[in-house]
Amino acid sequence: MNSKPTPRFAGLEIIWLQSPPWQGVWTRQNHFCRRFAADGARILYVENPIAIRARMSAGQRRSSAHEVEPGITVMSLPLQLPGSRTSHLIGAVNGYRFAAAIRAQARKLGFLDPLAWCRLPVSVHTLDHLRARAIIYDVTDDYDFYATSERERELTRHRERRLAAGASQIFTTTDELKSKLGTFTSAPISRVPNGADAMFFDQASQVDPLATVPHPRIGFVGLIATWMDFDLLTRLGATWPGQIVIVGPVKPEVQARFAAIPGLVRIGGVPHSQVPVYLKAFDVCIQPHMINELRHRSDPLKVIEYLAAGRPVVSVALRSLETMRAVIDLASNADEFLDLVRQRILDPRHDLVEMRRDVAATRNWDTLYTTVAGRIQNLWQNAGSQ
């Protein structure tokens, strides 16, 4: 009788620090996390803390830790004291409080010697009070450009340099981020871009979730936040009223502005498994983000999912998307964006469907995970031998 092979990461424990809500818009954190769990790792996924004011206004309570999938326990953190972005002291106090909550939950799970996976510079304060076997830093944005003041920018840089200096492995989504991190750390850095699940390549359900919305349907899927170009959204809504479909949750700080735009069909957040169904219902997929240095240095995950579904894509012109210009229409300004949407409505370029899917296939999450898992396996084995 053949025995089942031992999973590659049986015995590996990972504390996945301060990541987006598990049930929110899925990011690379969800995709890599669930693949490590399927490979035998046990994971404590720590959701990013919510500010006191935001939680009170939303009427939310801190949820208890719970298993969302085999091997993955999700926990929320205590209320975050306001001011971490500009104050070292407040950041340190929050980090001490967060670490205490994480250690308590890790003990309940029986964690003995975990790795720490981080994605935000501010998490360095939490790491100061965790005994991590090794630190992995997964960099998806240039956080300098989130800062709204020079004080905040300097503090962000200081935190990132400390985090990178203490990391044993760094991943970045773009070459620009890889070059930046390489200037102040000797840790190995691997570029691993964002990708798409195999489910986006499959034929979606025949059920039309937008049966009451007339064609052409111009759709966006993703988080509605400060990086959206609300002026462009306003023009889109005025040009195609009742046909601009927005699928995704809305950050509190932009809720009023987003709600004030006429002509939009607001769906709100949907389960990740339903996203391909909506993409199939769109005639044109759009990426109406601001064109600025923050977005230039990003790697928009949703664009890859659009391509995996074979849909026509119109996006603002970002440096990170230039290599895909053959399968994406890139606009430098609002007028050009609207013109390109009109063109794709008239001519969806069905001849490019397979090419779009082929481009996305080179960035399948399973393939990307192979690179990540190989680095972590080496790190885990080497850290255990020290």
Side-chain angles (χ1 to χ4, degrees):
M1 181 172 165
N2 293 329
S3 60
K4 240 180 165 181
T6 302
R8 171 171 31 172
F9 289 120
L12 173 63
E13 303 157 345
I14 307 176
I15 295 176
W16 216 282
L17 276 178
Q18 298 181 221
S19 287
W22 184 266
Q23 298 299 345
V25 173
W26 270 42
T27 70
R28 64 198 275 120
Q29 312 308 328
N30 302 77
H31 292 288
F32 288 145
C33 188
R34 73 182 333 194
R35 283 165 173 78
F36 274 110
D39 242 353
R42 289 199 303 145
I43 295 164
L44 176 57
Y45 184 95
V46 184
E47 295 182 326
N48 210 30
I50 298 175
I52 293 175
R53 188 179 304 168
R55 184 173 285 178
M56 288 179 64
S57 64
Q60 294 178 334
R61 291 186 176 183
R62 182 183 170 196
S63 60
S64 57
H66 56 287
E67 188 175 66
V68 291
E69 294 184 11
I72 304 174
T73 297
V74 171
M75 71 171 286
S76 58
L77 288 169
L79 288 171
Q80 177 174 235
L81 301 177
S84 280
R85 293 179 62 169
T86 55
S87 168
H88 173 82
L89 177 61
I90 295 174
V93 170
N94 278 327
Y96 177 83
R97 295 169 60 246
F98 297 161
I102 293 166
R103 288 198 307 269
Q105 184 58 47
R107 282 195 298 270
K108 290 180 182 177
L109 295 174
F111 279 23
L112 299 174
D113 194 17
L115 301 181
W117 181 294
C118 311
R119 54 171 284 273
L120 295 175
V122 72
S123 63
V124 73
H125 294 299
T126 304
L127 283 170
D128 285 340
H129 305 285
L130 293 178
R131 290 184 177 178
R133 180 190 187 110
I135 295 168
I136 302 103
Y137 182 27
D138 185 27
V139 190
T140 59
D141 289 291
D142 192 329
Y143 294 104
D144 289 359
F145 293 94
Y146 278 106
T148 57
S149 68
E150 190 56 36
R151 178 186 179 88
E152 183 181 345
R153 188 170 296 108
E154 286 301 318
L155 186 54
T156 299
R157 288 173 179 167
H158 174 71
R159 287 166 170 166
E160 183 163 59
R161 285 172 183 270
R162 273 221 300 139
L163 178 54
S168 298
Q169 172 67 53
I170 295 174
F171 298 109
T172 68
T173 50
T174 68
D175 286 325
E176 282 192 64
L177 290 172
K178 182 177 180 180
S179 296
K180 176 193 173 183
L181 270 292
T183 62
F184 49 81
T185 183
S186 58
I189 305 175
S190 305
R191 176 183 171 268
V192 180
N194 285 323
D197 250 333
M199 63 189 288
F200 285 86
F201 295 87
D202 299 333
Q203 286 298 314
S205 165
Q206 295 302 309
V207 176
D208 184 355
L210 301 173
T212 61
V213 178
H215 291 274
R217 298 161 178 169
I218 299 121
F220 169 83
V221 175
L223 180 65
I224 315 303
T226 53
W227 50 69
M228 297 294 288
D229 187 335
F230 292 102
D231 292 335
L232 176 55
L233 271 182
T234 300
R235 290 190 60 181
L236 286 162
T239 306
W240 292 280
Q243 295 169 280
I244 305 298
V245 182
I246 309 296
V247 179
V250 184
K251 295 281 278 185
E253 60 267 27
V254 300
Q255 209 150 27
R257 188 173 184 189
F258 178 63
I261 299 175
L264 305 183
V265 179
R266 298 170 178 83
I267 303 298
V270 301
H272 181 65
S273 61
Q274 292 300 303
V275 173
V277 181
Y278 280 91
L279 295 188
K280 183 180 179 182
F282 295 162
D283 296 298
V284 179
C285 294
I286 56 173
Q287 183 83 348
H289 282 183
M290 299 288 289
I291 300 178
N292 55 33
E293 197 59 28
L294 172 65
R295 303 318 297 161
H296 276 309
R297 293 169 184 245
S298 70
D299 182 35
L301 186 155
K302 292 303 169 187
V303 168
I304 307 304
E305 293 179 345
Y306 294 164
L307 292 174
R311 314 313 289 168
V313 181
V314 177
S315 171
V316 292
L318 301 177
R319 285 198 302 270
S320 56
L321 297 177
E322 280 296 329
T323 57
M324 291 183 279
R325 192 178 272 274
V327 291
I328 298 175
D329 289 300
L330 299 178
S332 299
N333 55 56
D335 288 338
E336 191 175 353
F337 197 102
L338 266 66
D339 285 344
L340 288 171
V341 171
R342 290 188 188 96
Q343 289 179 36
R344 291 292 75 81
I345 290 170
L346 294 172
D347 179 12
R349 294 298 306 272
H350 294 303
D351 58 307
L352 292 180
V353 168
E354 289 309 313
M355 187 174 175
R356 292 168 187 145
R357 292 164 74 92
D358 286 346
V359 169
T362 65
R363 290 169 60 162
N364 184 290
W365 282 121
D366 289 332
T367 303
L368 298 173
Y369 171 70
T370 299
T371 298
V372 171
R375 299 288 188 273
I376 300 306
Q377 188 168 25
N378 290 337
L379 173 63
W380 183 37
Q381 292 170 344
N382 292 337
S385 63
Q386 291 174 357

